[in-house]
């Protein structure tokens, strides 16, 4: 019995040492492979400062952390940074790597992501960075096409923190942005149907169209529960609350996505809105001559969108 205990102890010690040492020895080589493969797949320059792999921090899960990621565009956006991320952390269930039911990603954390999307007047966009494949698409047998993917994304904790998003469309003169954006999402993408819980906080929201500022430095918070029928691409809202500046809104209804259209039946309403809260949405540029304006009174708001887009 003592020999068995001793052997087990030695095996466990060797496994722990290997789990600690192997990532350290392979980290540099894996980082080089990741950079090479990413740059071969994308028509952009991909780089990062550090890649860290750990098998013990979240045991029995493995974690991968990427720091200082940058994606720099090629022509006609030569030198423009499409995206930069301070840190990306992914946690994978180790046991799922040895089974045949698919790989399970349990956590995804993205910190200080900056995304700058742009569309030129000729229709060119800077996010179209995937290189076209030289290999013709293979036709799959019906039975093979219906087989589920081996990749399963079970989101127990997905967080986006302190993100900055900018969009500029030279063809229409539209501008939009948010700084910062915080998002937390939980759900299960591995099944045909799932409930998603979403918590969002967006600050300094701005939107301009045709050179006219329609929204500037607004704040938005949202608590959304979404019933996602992933098989039929139908998403139903329930028990949702949105707050835009001081205006509280409720959202319910559904949206269904098809190949060439979007069907919807969405309703937004607010039982009581203070008139001064509505004025808070007007960009300061238009109210600078009305600093002494006093507003009072209440109104109700109901809106709906129903049909096919």
């Amino acid at each position: 019995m003592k020999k068995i205990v001793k052997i087990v102890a030695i095996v466990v010690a060797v496994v722990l040492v290997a789990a600690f040492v192997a990532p350290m020895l392979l980290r540099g080589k894996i980082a080089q492979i990741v950079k090479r493969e990413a740059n071969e797949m994308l028509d952009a320059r991909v780089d990062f400062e550090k890649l860290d792999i750990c098998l013990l921090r979240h045991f029995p899960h493995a974690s991968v952390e990427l720091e200082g990621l940058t994606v720099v565009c090629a022509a006609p956006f030569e030198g423009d940074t499409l995206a930069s991320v301070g840190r990306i952390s992914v946690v994978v269930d180790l046991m799922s790597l040895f089974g045949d039911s698919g790989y399970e990603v349990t956590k995804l954390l993205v910190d200080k992501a900056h995304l700058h999307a742009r569309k030129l007047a000729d229709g060119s966009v800077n996010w179209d960075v995937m290189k076209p494949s030289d290999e013709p698409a293979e036709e799959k047998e019906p039975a093979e096409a219906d087989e589920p993917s081996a990749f399963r994304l079970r989101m127990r904790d997905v967080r986006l923190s302190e993100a900055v998003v900018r969009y500029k469309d030279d063809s229409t003169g539209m501008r939009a942005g948010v700084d910062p954006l915080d998002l937390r999402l939980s759900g299960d993408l591995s099944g045909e149907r799932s409930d998603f819980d979403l918590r969002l906080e967006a600050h300094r929201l701005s939107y301009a169209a045709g050179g006219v500022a329609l929204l500037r430095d607004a704040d938005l918070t949202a608590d959304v529960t979404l019933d996602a029928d992933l098989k039929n691409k139908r998403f139903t809202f329930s028990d949702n609350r949105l707050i835009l500046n001081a205006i509280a809104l409720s959202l319910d209804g559904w949206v269904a996505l098809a190949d060439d259209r979007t069907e919807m039946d969405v309703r937004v309403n607010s039982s009581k809105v203070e008139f001064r809260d509505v004025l808070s949405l007007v960009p300061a540029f238009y109210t600078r001559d009305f600093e002494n304006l006093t507003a009072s009174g209440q109104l109700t708001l109901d809106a709906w969108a129903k049909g096919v887009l």
Side-chain angles (χ1 to χ4, degrees):
M1 178 63 70
K2 290 184 178 180
K3 285 186 177 181
I4 295 177
V5 173
K6 187 175 182 180
I7 292 173
V8 171
I10 293 174
V11 171
V12 171
V14 170
V15 171
L16 291 175
V17 171
F20 180 77
V21 175
M24 297 177 61
L25 297 177
L26 299 176
R27 185 179 299 144
K29 186 175 183 64
I30 294 175
Q32 292 177 2
I33 294 174
V34 171
K35 287 183 181 181
R36 184 181 69 244
E37 293 297 323
N39 282 286
E40 288 182 356
M41 292 174 56
L42 303 179
D43 190 16
R45 188 171 70 255
V46 180
D47 197 6
F48 51 84
E49 298 173 359
K50 182 181 178 182
L51 175 65
D52 185 26
I53 302 173
C54 183
L55 302 179
L56 299 178
R57 184 179 305 155
H58 301 279
F59 190 82
H61 305 301
S63 65
V64 179
E65 286 195 359
L66 200 63
E67 295 183 4
L69 172 67
T70 57
V71 180
V72 181
C73 300
F77 303 93
E78 187 73 37
D80 288 354
T81 300
L82 170 62
S84 65
V85 185
R87 180 174 67 99
I88 301 175
S89 180
V90 181
V91 179
V92 183
D93 186 348
L94 276 176
M95 298 300 102
S96 69
L97 302 179
F98 302 99
D100 56 2
S101 60
Y103 312 129
E104 185 172 341
V105 177
T106 59
K107 287 187 180 182
L108 173 60
L109 310 177
V110 181
D111 187 38
K112 292 182 173 61
H114 289 232
L115 176 64
H116 300 272
R118 186 181 178 190
K119 182 179 181 180
L120 298 181
D122 61 5
S124 302
V125 294
N126 68 342
W127 60 87
D128 185 14
V129 296
M130 289 294 299
K131 290 181 179 179
S133 176
D134 296 330
E135 299 179 0
E138 297 182 0
E139 294 186 4
K140 296 182 179 180
E141 297 293 333
E144 182 183 356
D146 294 336
E147 290 181 359
S149 170
F151 181 77
R152 184 171 78 252
L153 182 60
R154 185 178 181 84
M155 298 186 299
R156 295 177 185 167
D157 192 3
V158 176
R159 301 184 192 181
L160 179 66
S161 60
E162 298 184 53
V164 177
V165 180
R166 304 288 184 204
Y167 177 72
K168 181 180 180 182
D169 188 342
D170 294 338
S171 64
T172 62
M174 189 178 81
R175 305 286 186 272
V178 56
D179 176 15
L181 172 66
D182 295 297
L183 173 71
R184 184 165 185 174
L185 177 69
S186 62
D188 184 1
L189 282 177
S190 63
E192 295 182 349
R193 190 161 195 153
S194 180
D195 290 329
F196 292 97
D197 293 319
L198 182 147
R199 168 70 180 176
L200 179 144
E201 291 187 11
H203 301 282
R204 289 192 288 276
L205 275 169
S206 63
Y207 178 79
V212 179
L214 302 176
L215 193 66
R216 182 180 296 168
D217 292 338
D219 294 327
L220 172 68
T221 61
D223 284 296
V224 177
T225 300
L226 190 65
D227 176 12
D229 182 353
L230 300 176
K231 182 179 180 180
N232 298 309
K233 298 181 181 178
R234 181 185 174 104
F235 304 90
T236 304
F237 303 96
S238 61
D239 300 326
N240 302 294
R241 181 175 175 83
L242 310 176
I243 300 178
L244 181 60
N245 280 3
I247 300 177
L249 305 167
S250 63
L251 170 68
D252 64 339
W254 56 268
V255 174
L257 306 178
D259 294 335
D260 58 348
R261 64 181 186 175
T262 300
E263 299 179 8
M264 68 187 74
D265 185 359
V266 180
R267 296 172 297 280
V268 178
N269 66 79
S270 179
S271 59
K272 184 177 69 174
V273 180
E274 297 288 340
F275 188 69
R276 61 174 178 269
D277 296 334
V278 178
L279 289 182
S280 73
L281 298 178
V282 181
F285 174 82
Y286 302 107
T287 59
R288 61 188 178 186
D289 297 327
F290 304 97
E291 295 179 356
N292 298 323
L293 177 66
T294 300
S296 62
Q298 297 177 351
L299 57 92
T300 59
L301 171 65
D302 291 285
W304 54 266
K306 182 177 181 179
V308 177
L309 176 66

